[in-house]
Amino acid sequence: MYTTPRSFLVYALLPAFFFLACFYVYPSIFNIQTSLTDLGIFTLRRGGDWIGVDNYVELLTSPDFRRVLFNTVVWLTLAGVTVRIVLGLALAFLLNSRTLRKWRLTTAARLLLIVPWATPPVVAIIVWRWMLDPRVGSINSALTATGIVDQAIPFLSDANWVWPAILLIITWNTLPLVTLTFLASLQSLSAELVEAAEIDGAGPLQLLRYIYLPHLKPAIIVMVLMSTFWTFNNFVYVWLTTGAGPGLYTNVMATEIYIKGFIDGRLGYSAATGVVMATVMTLFGLVYLRVIAKRELVEESK
């Protein structure tokens, strides 16, 4: 029997649609259904009773959830992404500078940059926890030895220092990808264009404003959106670094789902938190797709 190319494509994609339904669609529907019940970890056998949107009402009116949302949006995502983008731009310009090429340090600098990226997050967190330890940590030893501080700082248990410490670990481990993305974009910039601007009398600030940043704009937009995706739903860095502590001071949405579901045993409430989190990520996804589609239209028009 003859099949058209379109029919063949449909049949070829059926396995992919099947696995997509099994691993994404069905779990999503089941999670929404669970969020509308009072299912608990100790009542799995009999199942939960239908309570409608009570979990969502409790979630959205809870002062604890507002703090969790603030930690996730402001500290983890906004601050974390901003630090990575700014430092990534600075390092990209440094690695692309004539000074490093003059001293033949470009290759060594790029190799050093890859080391954090090649380090698994779990390993990076363990090493940084040891370095930040107030008793045996090398950072506190260096600070006290040089007289910068009089006594060791409990970075991971002091409310004034815990979020900067978490952001330090996340930035160290994920900054290389942002930097290399910007570096690749910089290296695609025409050298003749920069030289022509310099001949016309453009200084460093003019070059940055009118040449480099417009050229880097697409890469910056993509990295901001992708970093937001990766950071907003991150569980590993916060949980393995502080366990959402001290107390629940650094609790974020990903750790809140785990705590409510597997420590407090409220699977229905945990599922509702997951649905809210997935909804926010879906909105981010729509923004991302819109930006990418707009960028492709602009490129096609050229």
Side-chain angles (χ1 to χ4, degrees):
M1 182 179 65
Y2 175 74
T3 58
T4 64
R6 181 175 295 181
S7 300
F8 176 78
L9 181 61
V10 171
Y11 288 129
L13 291 176
L14 280 178
F17 285 126
F18 172 76
F19 285 107
L20 184 66
C22 289
F23 291 103
Y24 290 97
V25 178
Y26 173 72
S28 299
I29 295 174
F30 180 79
N31 195 57
I32 294 173
Q33 180 183 358
T34 303
S35 70
L36 301 174
T37 69
D38 64 350
L39 182 66
I41 198 170
F42 301 109
T43 59
L44 287 173
R45 184 179 294 274
R46 68 172 179 84
D49 297 324
W50 181 270
I51 59 173
V53 296
D54 288 357
N55 284 325
Y56 292 95
V57 173
E58 179 184 354
L59 175 69
L60 297 176
T61 58
S62 170
D64 292 336
F65 178 74
R66 288 195 288 270
R67 185 186 69 246
V68 168
L69 188 63
F70 177 84
N71 287 342
T72 307
V73 173
V74 177
W75 274 115
L76 187 64
T77 305
L78 182 61
V81 172
T82 301
V83 169
R84 268 173 285 173
I85 295 299
V86 173
L87 290 181
L89 284 170
L91 283 177
F93 280 112
L94 176 62
L95 291 174
N96 197 52
S97 66
R98 296 168 183 170
T99 303
L100 284 185
R101 289 197 296 268
K102 177 181 177 181
W103 292 98
R104 298 180 180 179
L105 296 174
T106 303
T107 302
R110 292 178 184 178
L111 289 175
L112 289 175
L113 185 66
I114 293 175
V115 172
W117 192 17
T119 305
V122 175
V123 176
I125 292 168
I126 292 173
V127 172
W128 275 102
R129 285 190 61 175
W130 172 78
M131 292 174 63
L132 294 171
D133 188 273
R135 293 168 297 180
V136 297
S138 57
I139 293 178
N140 271 304
S141 298
L143 291 176
T144 53
T146 55
I148 297 176
V149 297
D150 297 329
Q151 56 184 2
I153 301 174
F155 288 103
L156 300 180
S157 58
D158 188 332
N160 295 320
W161 290 97
V162 64
W163 269 116
I166 293 174
L167 294 179
L168 172 64
I169 297 172
I170 297 175
T171 301
W172 183 86
N173 199 211
T174 58
L175 182 62
L177 177 60
V178 180
T179 303
L180 292 175
T181 301
F182 293 153
L183 179 61
S185 182
L186 279 176
Q187 291 180 337
S188 67
L189 179 63
S190 172
E192 290 78 8
L193 179 62
V194 177
E195 291 175 359
E198 291 176 338
I199 292 173
D200 289 339
L205 292 180
Q206 286 79 15
L207 287 174
L208 178 65
R209 180 178 179 182
Y210 296 108
I211 303 294
Y212 290 118
L213 289 183
H215 181 76
L216 287 168
K217 183 179 178 180
I220 293 174
I221 293 174
V222 171
M223 287 312 303
V224 166
L225 293 174
M226 292 184 67
S227 297
T228 301
F229 275 120
W230 298 331
T231 307
F232 186 85
N233 60 356
N234 190 275
F235 171 82
V236 173
Y237 289 103
V238 174
W239 186 254
L240 294 184
T241 302
T242 63
L248 292 176
Y249 184 77
T250 58
N251 195 18
V252 294
M253 292 191 71
T255 55
E256 174 75 355
I257 293 172
Y258 179 82
I259 291 171
K260 293 299 183 183
F262 298 101
I263 297 179
D264 296 346
R266 300 184 61 190
L267 296 180
Y269 186 90
S270 176
T273 308
V275 171
V276 172
M277 188 175 181
T279 303
V280 176
M281 293 304 298
T282 301
L283 295 177
F284 284 146
L286 293 175
V287 173
Y288 177 77
L289 292 176
R290 183 177 178 85
V291 170
I292 295 299
K294 184 177 180 181
R295 180 184 174 188
E296 290 179 352
L297 289 175
V298 171
E299 291 178 351
E300 289 177 359
S301 64
K302 293 180 179 179

